[in-house]
C-alpha cells in the first residue's frame, strides 16, 4: 500500500467512525447525554467489546441509579474508540411494540443479528409467556452466536422474572454490575 493509499484509508476510517458516533449520539435520549463517571467494571466490559471478547453486560439496580445512562455511555465510548459493530437499542416500550401483533419480524431479526443488542428496563412491566417466548428466540440466537446482550433491569431476580431458559443464557459468563444510589432524577 502506498503512502497515499494508507492516508486515504485512515481518513475513510476516521470519517466512518465520526459518522457512527454521530448516529449513536443522535439516538441517545436527550436526558442521558450528560457527562459522568462510568463504573470501572462497565468500562472494562467496553474495552473487552473493542477486542470482541466482552460477553453479556447485566446492569441491575434501583430506579434512577444510572443503568440506562451507563449502557449508552459505554457503547458511545466504544464507538468513539473504533468499535464498528452494529448496535441496536430497545427500550421496554420498543420491545413491547416489536412483539405486539402483528409481530415486527424485521425488528426481531435485527435484534438477533446485531453485534450488540441493548434491552433497557427489561422486566419493568409484567412479562407474560408470549413475551418470554419471543425474548427466548432473540436471546438464544444471540447466545448461540456469542453476540453480546446488554440488559438494564431493576427487578430483584432475572431468573424469577424471565425464567430459567433465558436467564441461563444471559448468565453465561456475563459482566454483572449492581449500581446503587439515590434516584438521580430526583436530584434535578
Amino acid at each position: 500500500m502506498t503512502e497515499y493509499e494508507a492516508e486515504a484509508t485512515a481518513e475513510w476510517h476516521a470519517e466512518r467512525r465520526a459518522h457512527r458516533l454521530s448516529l449513536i449520539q443522535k439516538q441517545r435520549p436527550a436526558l442521558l447525554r450528560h457527562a459522568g463517571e462510568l463504573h470501572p467494571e462497565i468500562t472494562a466490559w467496553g474495552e473487552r467489546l473493542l477486542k470482541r471478547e466482552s460477553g453479556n453486560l447485566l446492569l441491575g439496580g434501583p430506579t434512577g441509579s444510572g443503568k440506562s445512562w451507563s449502557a449508552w455511555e459505554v457503547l458511545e465510548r466504544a464507538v468513539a474508540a473504533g468499535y464498528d459493530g452494529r448496535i441496536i437499542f430497545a427500550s421496554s416500550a420498543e420491545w413491547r411494540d416489536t412483539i405486539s401483533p402483528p409481530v415486527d419480524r424485521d425488528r426481531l431479526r435485527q435484534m438477533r443479528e446485531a453485534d450488540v443488542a441493548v434491552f433497557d428496563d427489561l422486566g419493568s412491566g409484567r412479562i407474560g409467556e408470549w413475551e418470554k417466548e419471543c425474548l427466548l428466540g432473540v436471546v438464544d440466537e444471540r447466545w448461540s452466536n456469542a453476540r453480546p446482550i446488554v440488559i438494564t433491569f431493576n427487578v430483584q431476580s432475572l431468573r424469577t422474572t424471565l425464567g430459567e431458559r433465558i436467564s441461563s443464557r444471559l448468565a453465561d459468563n456475563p459482566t454483572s454490575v449492581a449500581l446503587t444510589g439515590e434516584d438521580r432524577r430526583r436530584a434535578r
Side-chain angles (χ1 to χ4, degrees):
M1 181 180 295
T2 67
E3 184 177 331
Y4 172 78
E5 291 171 325
E7 287 177 15
T9 300
E11 183 178 316
W12 180 85
H13 283 291
E15 288 175 7
R16 184 168 186 253
R17 183 177 309 127
H19 176 70
R20 289 177 46 75
L21 184 58
S22 171
L23 290 175
I24 200 168
Q25 289 170 335
K26 286 177 186 175
Q27 286 181 321
R28 191 170 178 171
L31 292 176
L32 299 178
R33 293 180 183 162
H34 59 279
E37 289 297 317
L38 198 55
H39 190 285
E41 289 180 61
I42 301 171
T43 299
W45 179 87
E47 292 166 358
R48 290 190 303 277
L49 179 67
L50 285 167
K51 300 175 192 174
R52 306 272 199 232
E53 301 170 354
S54 60
N56 296 333
L57 177 61
L58 308 178
L59 302 175
T63 300
S65 60
K67 301 174 300 291
S68 299
W69 177 87
S70 295
W72 281 98
E73 184 69 16
V74 71
L75 290 167
E76 184 175 319
R77 288 182 187 186
V79 169
Y83 181 72
D84 63 354
R86 194 163 144 250
I87 302 167
I88 190 166
F89 289 86
S91 67
S92 60
E94 291 167 324
W95 169 249
R96 282 186 167 67
D97 287 348
T98 299
I99 64 168
S100 295
V103 172
D104 187 340
R105 297 194 184 285
D106 288 336
R107 180 79 170 161
L108 280 176
R109 181 185 48 73
Q110 292 170 0
M111 290 176 178
R112 288 190 307 266
E113 295 176 358
D115 296 295
V116 177
V118 181
F119 293 93
D120 191 24
D121 279 336
L122 191 64
S124 61
R126 187 180 66 81
I127 295 186
E129 291 305 311
W130 171 250
E131 190 168 352
K132 288 179 189 177
E133 286 302 316
C134 292
L135 185 59
L136 176 62
V138 173
V139 170
D140 187 54
E141 175 79 16
R142 299 191 64 72
W143 174 78
S144 296
N145 291 289
R147 293 186 190 115
I149 301 172
V150 177
I151 294 185
T152 71
F153 61 96
N154 60 8
V155 295
Q156 291 297 318
S157 166
L158 282 179
R159 189 168 305 281
T160 301
T161 304
L162 302 177
E164 187 70 32
R165 293 164 62 202
I166 295 170
S167 59
S168 173
R169 286 158 177 79
L170 293 175
D172 187 8
N173 195 29
T175 297
S176 297
V177 180
L179 298 174
T180 59
E182 296 297 317
D183 186 338
R184 296 175 185 192
R185 293 178 197 104
R186 290 185 185 168
R188 284 189 217 172

